[in-house]
Amino acid sequence: MRKRHMSTVGFIVFVAALLVLSGFTRAGSLEWGGQEEGVCLQEGSKERDQWSQNIKKKFNWLPHFSGGRLAYSRSCDQDKMQDWEVDEDEVVSGEGRRLNVFRWRKQFHPLTSERKFGVLYPVRYLQQRLSFQFRDSRYCLVLNKNKRFESLSWEQCLQSVDTRWLFDLPTDPGEDGLIGLAGIDSNQDGVRDDVERFIERALGGSEKERKAALSFANSLQKELISAYDQNTVIALEPETGAALDCMSFVLEDKATKFLLELEAKTYNTSERLRAWNKLNSYFSGMTFTLTDDLESQCNFKREQQN
């Protein structure tokens, strides 16, 4: 690890994600943010399929549910029924059918419908949670250890990162992601897919922290793929240093630990470790002056952490 990196207490932002413009609809999967990876929300592939017999009986006398489909959890496999859209109002829908919850036996069940009904409560994607309003209170939809849906109060939801649904993450590249220096960057945002997934899961506290880490990871990736071109690596150093300084400001006392984890994830093969050693050799004997104003290296004003 570069000595300059070891001596600094953290990092941050050069946003790798584009800002969502008004009226713009985002599309992607909704992946459970709990400890187990690779569990996505999926809409039923046929009318009322995957519904329990008890729920079917309940809906048999409600003909306006004929176009409805139950949503359930399933391993992420890029099935088209795992594609969801989030519009400018954070409303979640799948193929034109809005995601709602239906209350039955004091439990909430996720389903989609083409029409609005008074017994359905629309779901919105707020603060990485699937949120809905019931009467005068707000709740979120979560999975338990058995991958069954439960609801929690909004206050409880915000107290745990395991209540998050991660939207539009790249799929896990698996063994293919270990090939070559560049690895796989399927969404072309400048961050390797496996690294992006790690950051999104590890930093659930605030959007700024995730943007900070993505910015620094983007700089590390640029250096890595140019590891055997000394002139290019030296030219990239100001950008990398600024991202690191800004991230130190944002992550504060979490920065050092996370930096070690992020670099371990970035240089995770023997080929990448050799490139990392080559990178460090270019800076041997160099000294760097760290600014006292880390915030000045960020491209945003510090706001209260969400």
Side-chain angles (χ1 to χ4, degrees):
M1 178 182 307
R2 199 167 304 166
K3 290 185 174 60
R4 187 173 72 89
H5 294 172
M6 286 288 288
S7 62
T8 309
V9 179
F11 10 107
I12 182 215
V13 80
F14 177 124
V15 323
L18 296 175
L19 294 176
V20 179
L21 301 177
S22 176
F24 181 70
T25 298
R26 300 168 287 166
S29 62
L30 282 163
E31 185 173 341
W32 175 237
Q35 294 182 356
E36 183 177 357
E37 293 195 31
V39 177
C40 283
L41 183 68
Q42 179 162 329
E43 186 185 28
S45 58
K46 296 179 181 178
E47 180 181 314
R48 291 194 296 271
D49 71 334
Q50 301 294 328
W51 295 21
S52 72
Q53 291 300 315
N54 288 335
I55 295 178
K56 287 182 180 181
K57 290 178 181 178
K58 175 67 176 179
F59 289 150
N60 279 341
W61 58 271
L62 295 175
H64 55 237
F65 277 105
S66 61
R69 296 178 177 179
L70 191 72
Y72 58 100
S73 63
R74 182 177 175 180
S75 296
C76 301
D77 58 6
Q78 296 183 294
D79 188 298
K80 67 177 183 179
M81 304 309 292
Q82 293 177 359
D83 291 338
W84 299 91
E85 293 184 347
V86 178
D87 67 18
E88 61 182 314
D89 296 319
E90 305 300 326
V91 172
V92 182
S93 60
E95 294 190 344
R97 292 176 291 275
R98 287 186 57 165
L99 180 64
N100 307 274
V101 292
F102 175 78
R103 190 169 187 261
W104 182 56
R105 291 186 177 179
K106 298 183 179 180
Q107 292 185 334
F108 293 95
H109 303 272
L111 54 83
T112 59
S113 177
E114 297 175 355
R115 298 163 55 194
K116 295 181 180 180
F117 305 105
V119 293
L120 300 183
Y121 307 96
V123 174
R124 288 181 166 80
Y125 187 64
L126 301 176
Q127 294 182 250
Q128 293 190 306
R129 275 83 175 175
L130 293 183
S131 169
F132 62 93
Q133 193 87 14
F134 176 66
R135 295 177 179 168
D136 296 326
S137 300
R138 182 170 293 280
Y139 300 86
C140 73
L141 198 65
V142 300
L143 288 177
N144 59 24
K145 293 181 179 179
N146 297 320
K147 300 180 186 176
R148 295 188 177 181
F149 290 99
E150 295 181 348
S151 58
L152 296 175
S153 70
W154 190 242
E155 292 73 19
Q156 288 176 296
C157 286
L158 297 180
Q159 291 173 4
S160 172
V161 295
D162 288 347
T163 60
R164 297 181 299 155
W165 287 86
L166 306 176
F167 182 63
D168 197 26
L169 281 188
T171 58
D172 187 345
E175 295 296 320
D176 291 342
L178 300 176
I179 300 173
L181 290 179
I184 295 176
D185 177 16
S186 61
N187 56 10
Q188 298 295 302
D189 64 352
V191 180
R192 250 182 20 231
D193 288 355
D194 58 322
V195 173
E196 183 174 349
R197 289 177 61 82
F198 164 73
I199 289 171
E200 291 290 339
R201 287 184 170 277
L203 296 177
S206 77
E207 184 179 3
K208 290 187 182 69
E209 290 181 352
R210 295 190 296 275
K211 287 181 177 179
L214 288 169
S215 174
F216 184 60
N218 178 278
S219 296
L220 291 184
Q221 180 72 355
K222 289 178 181 178
E223 287 188 343
L224 179 59
I225 61 179
S226 301
Y228 298 97
D229 183 341
Q230 182 173 1
N231 291 334
T232 298
V233 172
I234 295 297
L236 287 169
E237 177 56 29
E239 175 186 323
T240 305
L244 176 61
D245 290 345
C246 183
M247 195 158 148
S248 300
F249 168 73
V250 173
L251 286 176
E252 299 178 335
D253 58 348
K254 296 187 295 185
T256 299
K257 180 177 182 295
F258 183 77
L259 172 60
L260 294 174
E261 294 173 347
L262 178 59
E263 292 194 328
K265 190 68 177 178
T266 301
Y267 309 111
N268 60 344
T269 67
S270 57
E271 181 182 4
R272 291 165 186 167
L273 280 172
R274 288 193 296 270
W276 172 73
N277 288 327
K278 189 66 175 178
L279 286 167
N280 281 318
S281 71
Y282 300 148
F283 300 97
S284 177
M286 291 187 180
T287 58
F288 298 90
T289 301
L290 297 177
T291 177
D292 293 329
D293 184 8
L294 298 180
E295 184 178 9
S296 67
Q297 303 302 297
C298 301
N299 61 359
F300 62 87
K301 294 181 180 179
R302 186 176 193 183
E303 299 173 2
Q304 184 177 356
Q305 299 292 322
N306 56 1

